[in-house]
């Protein structure tokens, strides 16, 4: 029996700022993981990845990242993805700066 | 210092013009990322975890006040108000946007700097002893030679697409402060029959296969340096492995062929390259030696220094820890620590950079150095100026008295910034420094080097640390492996792995147990950690690190 497909989100870095971005259900890029569309079907995820990768004018390094669905949307499975959605731990820079202003 | 010729300035301006156009074509969509990536890497621009990172070369770690001030300007204008000095004597800006990078490169060119060959499979920034030209133990200043190598290797047509990157380090002293045995080529200036030449060491390196370099030739007459280097690099360029990037560095080639076979191949190639160099390289070297002539030292009374030393314990502590003997009477080499307890190793704010620039201009013959240990050095200061220098450093958090001590930690950016990292380095360094500051044991512990890498590539030099820490990803959790007994000096040694790794929460207590064990084990107060380790070996330190294993065995 095949293993259960781990849910994914599509993520990349924005071309100009390099900031981490996620693909939403509407096919737009968001800076917040909670806006990301959670893809639970492997075939669907692969097609969405191909479409997202074609947007090379906006983003760099598109890939699928494992997530767990939570009450506030997708939650990262791996600590690297947790750092990507947050920013560095030594200064309140990156996405943490944005949150401070919200 | 070396000043750009018209040729140099035109070359850098043209490269910047090209890169500006390349960025424009990438943003317009005319270039794909696959097409653009090699172009941006040729200019030191990486895409990291949260942003782009621009790595700027500080040639052999030497810069002047104007250049340091320009770093501050770049940090304020296009980054987040700080820069990160690296183990390769470079500076990295962690937050530039792609569209601002052409302006940053122009600002660098204005002060005769660039980021060419700070990435890619090329000969990288040549590194050198950070005390060059000032230290008492030096045979000759290595920087004119480093400049010669820089000019030869920059845009060298044969060496732009090599099997892998290539790093050269040089020292003019017996005491190695440039880690020359952990470089693809390490050069040491030596004297034989009153003639200067080089010991050429090859095949050193850290990373996943750490190796100590081997001597290829013990005395190379100095006029043969460039043809000989060209022979070494071209032999490797041809036979080095391109099938597997983990086996591509020259250390693997030397390991696979053996040093004697490499020496023979180099000798054959050298017979050809020797004919090809017309001697123009030696005339350039003479010019560079003039450019690096010694400053004019002054002969002033030192009583201001003596008075401060006896009356001010804070100044005395800094002087005892951060000063090194200078070869000129009345002068000192002052190391400015970028390792304030709890701060990020190697980071300096724009304000701190401006203070260091100003101190260099007013008191230090307009010279600064970046050390591979991620500190900044004022290489030529008169001791009478030190109380003033210390006072100004204190005002901006730069007067930490910890050079060579346990909180003077080398740490790579790790997973807080680096896309290659497997774990974080910076928070571990911050916690260790903070913990030992709380314990007030730092000065009692004495000379102890901790070096932390956030992945197997070993940018944090953990293999050659007295206590090395390697951050890994073990089944989705950060795990930190300890190595002991490494040595980065002329007696270079790769540290031994102590045992299983520790979690992020347990690594700092583990280091504390290790250091407390050392304090119990040392024979005298001045026996260093490394000396104690060499005397006793791994066993007692392992027992301190893994007390539960001992309990089970009992």
């Amino acid at each position: 029996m095949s293993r259960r497909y781990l849910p994914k989100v599509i993520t990349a870095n924005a071309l100009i700022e390099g900031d981490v971005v996620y693909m939403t259900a509407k096919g737009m890029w968001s800076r917040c993981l909670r806006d990301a569309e959670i893809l639970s079907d492997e075939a669907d995820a692969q097609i969405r990845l191909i479409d997202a990768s074609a947007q090379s004018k906006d983003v760099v390094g598109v890939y699928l990242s494992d997530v767990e669905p939570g009450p506030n949307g997708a939650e990262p499975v791996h600590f690297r993805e947790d750092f990507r959605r947050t920013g560095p731990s030594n200064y309140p820079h990156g996405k943490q700066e944005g949150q401070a202003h919200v | 210092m070396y000043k750009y010729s018209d040729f140099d300035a035109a070359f850098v301006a043209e490269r910047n013009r090209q890169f500006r156009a390349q960025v424009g074509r990438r943003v317009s969509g005319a270039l794909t990322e696959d097409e653009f990536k090699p172009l941006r890497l040729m200019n030191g621009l990486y895409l990291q975890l949260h942003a782009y990172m621009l790595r700027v070369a500080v040639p052999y770690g030497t810069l002047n006040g104007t250049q340091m001030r320009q770093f501050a300007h770049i940090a304020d204008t296009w980054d987040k108000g700080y820069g990160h000095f690296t183990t390769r004597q470079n500076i990295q800006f962690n937050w530039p946007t792609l569209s601002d990078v052409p302006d940053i490169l122009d600002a660098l060119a204005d002060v005769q700097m660039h980021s060419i060959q700070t990435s890619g499979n090329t000969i990288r920034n040549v590194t050198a002893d950070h005390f060059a030209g000032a230290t008492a133990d030096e045979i000759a200043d290595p920087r004119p030679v480093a400049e010669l190598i820089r000019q030869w290797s920059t845009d060298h047509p044969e060496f732009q697409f090599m099997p892998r990157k290539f790093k050269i380090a040089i020292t003019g002293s017996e005491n190695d402060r440039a880690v020359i045995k952990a470089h693809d080529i390490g050069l040491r200036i030596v004297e034989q029959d009153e003639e200067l030449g080089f010991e050429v060491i090859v095949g050193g390196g850290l990373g996943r296969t750490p190796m100590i370099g081997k001597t290829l030739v013990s005395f190379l007459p100095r006029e043969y340096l460039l043809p000989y280097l060209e022979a070494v690099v071209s032999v490797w360029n041809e036979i080095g492995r391109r099938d597997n990037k983990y086996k591509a560095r020259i250390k693997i080639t030397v390991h696979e062929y053996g040093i004697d076979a490499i020496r023979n191949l180099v000798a054959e190639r050298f017979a050809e390259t020797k004919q090809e160099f017309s001697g123009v390289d030696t005339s350039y070297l003479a010019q560079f030696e003039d450019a690096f002539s010694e400053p004019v030292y002054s002969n002033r009374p030192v009583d201001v220094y003596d008075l401060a030393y006896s009356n001010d314990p804070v100044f005395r502590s800094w002087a005892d820890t951060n000063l090194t003997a200078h070869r000129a009477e009345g002068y000192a080499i002052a190391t400015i620590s970028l390792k304030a307890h709890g701060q990020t190793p190697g980071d300096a704010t724009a304000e701190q950079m401006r203070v260091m620039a100003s101190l260099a201009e007013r008191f230090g013959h307009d010279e600064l150095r970046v050390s591979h240990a991620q500190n900044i050095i004022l290489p030529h200061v008169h001791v009478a100026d030190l109380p003033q220098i210390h006072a100004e450093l204190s005002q901006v958090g730069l007067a930490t008295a910890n050079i060579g001590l346990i909180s003077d930690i080398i740490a790579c950016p790790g997973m807080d910034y680096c896309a290659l990292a497997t774990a974080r380095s910076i928070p571990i360094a911050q916690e260790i420094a903070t913990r030992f500051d709380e314990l007030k044991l730092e000065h009692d512990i004495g000379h102890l080097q901790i070096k932390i890498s956030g992945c197997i590539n070993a940018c944090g030099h953990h293999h050659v640390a007295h206590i090395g820490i390697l951050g890994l990803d073990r089944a989705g959790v950060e795990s930190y492996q300890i190595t002991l007994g490494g040595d980065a000096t002329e007696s270079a040694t790769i540290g031994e792995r102590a045992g299983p790794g520790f979690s992020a929460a347990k690594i700092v207590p583990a280091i504390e147990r290790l250091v407390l064990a050392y304090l119990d084990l040392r024979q005298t107060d001045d026996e260093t950690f490394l000396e104690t380790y060499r005397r006793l070996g791994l066993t007692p330190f392992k027992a301190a690190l893994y007390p539960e294993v001992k309990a089970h065995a009992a």
Side-chain angles (χ1 to χ4, degrees):
Chain A
M1 210 180 100
S2 66
R3 285 172 61 189
R4 188 179 69 88
Y5 184 66
L6 278 175
K8 306 275 191 288
V9 296
I10 294 173
T11 182
N13 291 78
L15 173 66
I16 302 296
E17 298 85 5
D19 192 13
V20 176
V21 292
Y22 304 94
M23 178 63 83
T24 67
K26 290 184 176 164
M28 309 292 283
W29 293 103
S30 166
R31 311 264 158 165
C32 294
L33 179 57
R34 62 171 177 268
D35 299 336
E37 181 186 16
I38 299 174
L39 305 165
S40 307
D41 178 79
E42 183 168 10
D44 181 38
Q46 289 300 331
I47 289 169
R48 300 273 291 168
L49 178 66
I50 291 167
D51 293 344
S53 301
Q55 299 186 23
S56 81
K57 265 186 79 173
D58 302 314
V59 294
V60 180
V62 185
Y63 66 94
L64 293 168
S65 158
D66 291 343
V67 291
E68 273 169 16
N72 298 313
E75 292 290 332
V77 170
H78 194 275
F79 62 88
R80 186 177 194 270
E81 292 301 323
D82 199 11
F83 297 144
R84 284 183 80 239
R85 75 152 168 187
T86 313
S89 51
N90 59 334
Y91 301 117
H93 287 159
K95 294 188 187 300
Q96 301 158 104
E97 278 175 302
Q99 283 163 0
H101 296 302
V102 171
Chain B
M1 276 178 62
Y2 177 76
K3 297 264 187 296
Y4 273 13
S5 65
D6 291 347
F7 176 90
D8 300 331
F11 169 77
V12 173
E14 173 59 15
R15 280 288 297 260
N16 287 355
R17 190 194 61 75
Q18 290 171 1
F19 190 61
R20 185 178 289 277
Q22 288 155 1
V23 170
R25 290 201 292 281
R26 175 69 183 97
V27 173
S28 76
L31 288 178
T32 64
E33 185 60 20
D34 285 347
E35 290 165 330
F36 179 64
K37 189 177 174 184
L39 300 172
R40 68 168 159 79
L41 290 178
M42 283 170 79
N43 291 284
L45 185 64
Y46 289 75
L47 181 58
Q48 295 286 35
L49 220 50
H50 316 290
Y52 287 93
M53 179 274 280
L54 182 67
R55 180 182 295 152
V56 179
V58 179
Y60 32 88
T62 292
L63 74 166
N64 61 29
T66 306
Q67 291 170 325
M68 181 66 98
R69 198 171 271 113
Q70 193 76 332
F71 288 162
H73 170 66
I74 290 167
D76 273 343
T77 311
W78 294 291
D79 208 274
K80 293 192 188 292
Y82 76 99
H84 176 75
F85 291 95
T86 77
T87 53
R88 300 218 68 258
Q89 299 181 312
N90 293 321
I91 185 170
Q92 295 181 172
F93 292 102
N94 286 327
W95 300 95
T97 65
L98 177 60
S99 23
D100 285 339
V101 172
D103 289 342
I104 301 176
L105 294 183
D106 284 348
L108 289 168
D110 286 344
V111 295
Q112 310 198 342
M113 302 197 98
H114 62 67
S115 57
I116 296 164
Q117 287 182 211
T118 61
S119 177
N121 293 334
T122 55
I123 299 177
R124 302 288 187 88
N125 183 27
V126 180
T127 51
D129 180 358
H130 43 265
F131 292 163
T135 176
D137 61 5
E138 185 171 84
I139 294 173
D141 186 343
R143 293 173 304 153
V145 178
E147 176 59 28
L148 184 72
I149 295 170
R150 188 182 78 86
Q151 299 211 6
W152 159 78
S153 62
T154 302
D155 213 30
H156 191 303
E158 191 180 327
F159 302 144
Q160 293 301 300
F161 297 96
M162 299 199 290
R164 200 75 178 85
K165 59 187 163 185
F166 200 89
K167 300 176 183 173
I168 302 175
I170 180 165
T171 179
S173 300
E174 184 93 27
N175 300 312
D176 180 14
R177 289 170 290 262
V179 210
I180 62 168
K181 289 181 180 170
H183 283 75
D184 295 288
I185 289 182
L187 296 170
R188 189 165 67 89
I189 300 176
V190 288
E191 198 169 11
Q192 186 177 295
D193 302 330
E194 293 178 13
E195 196 198 336
L196 290 182
F198 301 95
E199 179 187 3
V200 181
I201 294 163
V202 71
L206 301 175
R208 70 184 59 217
T209 324
M211 303 240 185
I212 300 298
K214 298 176 177 71
T215 299
L216 196 54
V217 52
S218 56
F219 185 85
L220 177 74
R222 56 192 241 131
E223 64 268 29
Y224 292 142
L225 181 67
L226 286 193
Y228 196 82
L229 289 182
E230 182 135 323
V232 176
V233 182
S234 81
V235 162
W236 167 70
N237 196 21
E238 195 176 332
I239 66 173
R241 289 180 59 169
R242 290 171 190 262
D243 61 320
N244 179 343
K245 78 175 205 175
Y246 302 120
K247 294 183 175 168
R249 296 288 286 271
I250 196 172
K251 63 188 172 185
I252 303 293
T253 317
V254 170
H255 183 76
E256 286 183 346
Y257 282 71
I259 188 74
D260 295 329
I262 295 290
R263 190 179 292 116
N264 292 338
L265 289 167
V266 168
E268 275 174 41
R269 179 76 182 112
F270 178 53
E272 296 166 350
T273 55
K274 205 161 44 170
Q275 306 301 321
E276 292 163 7
F277 279 77
S278 60
V280 65
D281 46 324
T282 9
S283 63
Y284 271 111
L285 183 58
Q287 284 177 35
F288 303 154
E289 279 166 350
D290 289 344
F292 288 98
S293 57
E294 284 213 37
V296 181
Y297 300 118
S298 68
N299 186 8
R300 292 151 56 195
V302 300
D303 31 336
V304 187
Y305 171 80
D306 292 338
L307 198 66
Y309 189 87
S310 37
N311 293 345
D312 179 352
V314 178
F315 175 73
R316 184 163 59 242
S317 168
W318 181 79
D320 285 343
T321 314
N322 293 35
L323 299 183
T324 309
H326 195 284
R327 60 177 172 235
E329 202 184 326
Y331 277 75
I333 302 170
T335 301
I336 302 169
S337 170
L338 298 185
K339 313 289 177 65
H341 301 101
Q343 298 298 309
T344 304
D347 278 11
T349 65
E351 183 194 23
Q352 290 174 328
M353 291 181 203
R354 289 194 182 97
V355 167
M356 293 188 282
S358 166
L359 291 173
E361 287 162 349
R362 287 179 295 141
F363 304 113
H365 297 271
D366 201 15
E367 263 203 52
L368 291 153
R369 306 287 172 75
V370 182
S371 76
H372 81 267
Q374 303 178 282
N375 293 309
I376 300 293
I377 287 130
L378 292 163
H380 316 288
V381 286
H382 195 277
V383 295
D385 295 324
L386 284 169
Q388 177 69 21
I389 289 170
H390 179 257
E392 293 187 32
L393 290 173
S394 302
Q395 286 173 4
V396 289
L398 284 176
T400 311
N402 65 346
I403 297 305
L405 303 182
I406 193 168
S407 62
D408 185 9
I409 299 170
I410 290 181
C412 74
M415 203 183 270
D416 284 304
Y417 296 92
C418 179
L420 299 174
T422 44
R424 289 173 299 172
S425 307
I426 292 168
I428 305 301
Q430 291 173 310
E431 286 169 38
I432 292 171
T434 305
R435 179 62 185 148
F436 281 91
D437 192 37
E438 285 164 2
L439 292 172
K440 297 292 166 215
L441 278 176
E442 179 155 51
H443 289 267
D444 187 23
I445 294 161
H447 184 50
L448 206 172
Q449 293 176 331
I450 296 183
K451 304 178 198 246
I452 309 175
S453 301
C455 81
I456 193 74
N457 293 310
C459 295
H461 294 192
H462 66 277
H463 295 296
V464 289
H466 304 163
I467 300 176
I469 301 175
L470 167 62
L472 295 168
D473 172 354
R474 286 281 182 254
V477 178
E478 287 171 293
S479 173
Y480 295 90
Q481 205 170 70
I482 293 177
T483 51
L484 295 173
D487 176 357
T489 71
E490 59 283 359
S491 45
T493 312
I494 304 292
E496 290 176 85
R497 197 187 298 175
F502 295 89
S503 69
K506 291 187 173 166
I507 181 67
V508 181
I511 299 295
E512 188 176 327
R513 289 198 299 281
L514 192 63
V515 174
L516 293 178
Y518 150 68
L519 291 177
D520 284 343
L521 291 164
R522 68 182 177 188
Q523 279 179 330
T524 59
D525 285 354
D526 56 5
E527 187 183 60
T528 65
F529 179 90
L530 188 60
E531 287 163 352
T532 306
Y533 183 81
R534 284 185 172 157
R535 182 169 55 81
L536 296 173
L538 188 60
T539 313
F541 294 99
K542 207 167 171 168
L545 278 174
Y546 306 100
E548 65 281 6
V549 177
K550 204 172 136 194
H552 280 298

